[in-house]
Amino acid sequence: MIATFLLLLFITGAGADNGGSTPTAAQFLGPQNVARAALRLPPLTWSNKLQQYAEAYANRRKGDCALIHSPENTYGENIFWGSGTDWSPAQAVELWLSEKQYYNYFSNSCEQGQECGHYTQIVWRNTKQVGCARVVCNGGKGVFMTCNYDPPGNYIGEKPY
């Protein structure tokens, strides 16, 4: 069973791997791979297929900027919303990674009342690929970002690494 996590923030395809060659891809990929390297996990590679999936879903959220996970998603997924238009991919990833402080590896649990599923998805040992997207939502509703992971992580009862 895959556990789904929501991060509620109310703050003011061709090839499988292109190496994260675009600046936006590098902003998403870089901090995630730094976190993985700190745990001696192999780096994630950028997936054009996952990026296209993320872009399609982000564009569906562009009208309302609702912090809702994709209902038909078979990948792991982290989502972000921030008010204003200046949020960068690296800032979204750093926010997800900040959940590390709430994760206890030995009990494989999150501190009560805190989120840590975004962090554990990023460092899930079996995850190999990621693709992400960022959109500025219509009508000044903020920025929505999503990253999709394959294979997915956050299986209940399993440690991420």
Side-chain angles (χ1 to χ4, degrees):
M1 176 187 292
I2 298 175
T4 302
F5 296 91
L6 289 176
L7 180 59
L8 300 175
L9 296 175
F10 298 101
I11 48 183
T12 303
D17 175 17
N18 71 9
S21 61
T22 68
T24 299
Q27 283 190 43
F28 277 117
L29 195 55
Q32 294 186 76
N33 281 336
V34 168
R36 291 176 66 87
L39 297 169
R40 298 187 175 146
L41 296 169
L44 297 173
T45 59
W46 190 259
S47 166
N48 291 327
K49 177 182 174 184
L50 293 172
Q51 178 185 6
Q52 291 168 357
Y53 182 90
E55 286 175 348
Y57 187 65
N59 283 323
R60 283 176 48 196
R61 296 273 57 97
K62 194 172 184 174
D64 61 11
C65 221
L67 198 59
I68 300 170
H69 280 280
S70 173
E72 64 276 351
N73 193 352
T74 59
Y75 305 115
E77 182 173 71
N78 284 346
I79 57 176
F80 168 93
W81 171 83
S83 65
T85 59
D86 295 332
W87 294 97
S88 72
Q91 288 173 310
V93 173
E94 290 300 330
L95 188 65
W96 296 328
L97 289 172
S98 73
E99 294 176 359
K100 176 182 180 180
Q101 65 186 314
Y102 305 120
Y103 178 67
N104 183 314
Y105 179 81
F106 298 104
S107 65
N108 192 30
S109 64
C110 240
E111 187 177 305
Q112 188 172 353
Q114 300 296 327
E115 297 274 346
C116 61
H118 303 94
Y119 167 72
T120 56
Q121 173 57 80
I122 291 169
V123 298
W124 197 263
R125 75 178 152 286
N126 295 329
T127 299
K128 307 293 183 215
Q129 299 181 318
V130 65
C132 308
R134 175 191 185 277
V135 295
V136 175
C137 298
N138 300 337
K141 293 180 181 142
V143 172
F144 181 88
M145 291 184 249
T146 180
C147 286
N148 294 100
Y149 301 86
D150 192 36
N154 288 334
Y155 288 93
I156 294 172
E158 291 184 31
K159 289 185 175 181
Y161 50 88

